[in-house]
Structure formats: structure tokens, C-alpha cells
Amino acid sequence: FQESTSLKELDMHLLSFGGPSNLALENMLTHTQSLRSLSLMCPFGPLEDVAVAAARSGLKKNTTLRELTLVLSRDTTNICPLLTSLRDHPLLRRLCLSGYVGNLTGLETLLLSENSKITELDIHITGYSGRSTIIGLTSVLQALARRPTLTKLSLRNIHLGRDEARQLGMVLYSTPSLQTLLLEDNCLRSVGLAELAPALYRNTSIKVLNLSG
């Protein structure tokens, strides 16, 4: 893969991750010349620290990715090093966090980086029974309010209470470039919608809006 000059998209299921494969993944991420879209899926167990270190080092040195998707398991709690390693990435535009996303620590560091090129953020919780509260969501929303270049925001199957809805409203006020807002299955109810309504009323940039569920 690292020697390919044509491979643009790669989806990897990391069912087991150790030994020489760690170095191989790091080298692939570091030296690839054509890869634009990468999905790292680890839905069946925790990532060992040595695997996280290898992926972190490779992502930090990568210069080609435009899109990155991380599909996480219930036991994966150490994605902070992966997120912070992307803060100076020269081309990465779209970040998707999916699966058992329970902790967003480190994402605010990425979003607040002056060098970050992120314009699309998708956080999609799957696998939980019912809607879930995420650690670090408040800090992420505060960081998004300071990222006026965001064009797409998707928050799906996340519990958004009144306070979170108010913070999301501040994001809408301060993001004139936002064109797509997807808020599916977030248990907003009337109180949360009342917090969002004034911001949506004044917004002139959103072209796609989803409030289903």
C-alpha cells in the first residue's frame, strides 16, 4: 500500500493489532503518496497503547489524507492521541467519529488549532441502546463556535439537553459558512428546539437541515 501511487481509499478492520503490523501501518500512513480517504475500524475491542502510538505517529506524518473515519468499540477510550496528532495536518478536511463514541477529549485541541483544515465534522453514535451523553461534548461545542470555516456539522444519536442546545445555537451564530446541519435522533424535545430556534431563524447559510427523530 505504501508504495502504491494510485490507491485513494482504504478501509481497514483492525481485528487484531500488534507486532510488525504496527510498524507497517505507521510506514503506510507516513509514506503513502495517493491515499485520500482512510477508515480505521476497531469495533471489537480496545486498541493497545503501542497500536495507538503507531497510528498516532503515522497520522502525524501523513500529508495526503482528506478524509478520516474512526469506528470505535465500547472499550476504546484512548483516541485523544490520535485526534491531537491531526492538528497540523495540511489537507485533512473531513473527520468522522462513529460507533461507541463516549469520550471526545482531544477533539477540541484539533478544532482550535490554527493549522487545522477541518471543515466537516460527523459524530455518529451507534451500538448504544438509547441516546447517550458524551464526555467532552461541551468543550467541542465551544471550540466549534470559534471555527467559522465549518461547512458541515453532523451530530447523530447524541443526548442534547438544554445547555448543549444553547451552545449549539452559539455555533450557528458564529459559523457563517455552515451549509449542512444534521441533528438526527438527539432527543432535543421542545426545550432544546426553543434554544435552537432563534439561531436557525437568523441563519442565512444552511442549505441542508435534518431534525428527524
Side-chain angles (χ1 to χ4, degrees):
F1 286 156
Q2 76 184 52
E3 296 177 1
S4 171
T5 58
S6 60
L7 183 70
K8 290 181 170 55
E9 182 175 346
L10 179 63
D11 296 343
M12 299 184 67
H13 284 259
L14 305 178
L15 301 182
S16 60
F17 199 7
S21 63
N22 289 322
L23 181 59
L25 176 64
E26 180 180 354
N27 286 337
M28 187 272 290
L29 292 174
T30 300
H31 299 295
T32 179
Q33 296 299 309
S34 60
L35 191 63
R36 301 293 183 266
S37 178
L38 174 66
S39 295
L40 294 178
M41 301 171 232
C42 39
F44 301 116
L47 283 176
E48 298 178 358
D49 289 343
V50 65
V52 172
R56 175 185 180 275
S57 179
L59 288 171
K60 187 173 183 179
K61 298 172 185 175
N62 177 273
T63 59
T64 65
L65 285 178
R66 269 74 165 176
E67 301 181 3
L68 175 64
T69 298
L70 299 176
V71 182
L72 308 172
S73 73
R74 186 191 299 272
D75 300 316
T76 303
T77 59
N78 55 347
I79 65 168
C80 179
L82 299 182
L83 296 176
T84 55
S85 71
L86 300 167
R87 59 189 175 188
D88 294 320
H89 197 286
L91 296 177
L92 189 68
R93 297 290 192 277
R94 181 177 185 271
L95 176 64
C96 177
L97 303 177
S98 181
Y100 289 88
V101 185
N103 192 334
L104 295 175
T105 302
L107 180 54
E108 76 283 358
T109 301
L110 169 58
L111 294 172
L112 291 174
S113 170
E114 294 182 357
N115 297 322
S116 173
K117 303 297 190 299
I118 297 291
T119 59
E120 298 185 19
L121 178 64
D122 184 352
I123 302 174
H124 183 197
I125 293 183
T126 59
Y128 290 122
S129 57
R131 297 161 181 84
S132 305
T133 301
I134 300 180
I135 297 171
L137 179 59
T138 296
S139 297
V140 168
L141 290 173
Q142 291 172 347
L144 286 172
R146 298 170 59 185
R147 191 161 194 86
T149 57
L150 195 72
T151 61
K152 180 178 180 179
L153 177 62
S154 177
L155 302 174
R156 293 180 284 172
N157 202 30
I158 300 170
H159 178 76
L160 296 179
R162 184 172 186 174
D163 291 340
E164 290 83 8
R166 183 183 298 117
Q167 291 171 337
L168 182 56
M170 295 303 297
V171 174
L172 301 184
Y173 278 124
S174 52
T175 313
S177 61
L178 190 66
Q179 299 181 20
T180 301
L181 179 62
L182 308 179
L183 302 174
E184 303 166 45
D185 299 316
N186 288 331
C187 200
L188 280 165
R189 304 189 185 280
S190 57
V191 174
L193 290 172
E195 293 290 344
L196 281 180
L200 288 172
Y201 179 76
R202 290 174 175 80
N203 183 279
T204 59
S205 64
I206 292 177
K207 295 179 173 62
V208 179
L209 175 64
N210 190 337
L211 294 170
S212 61

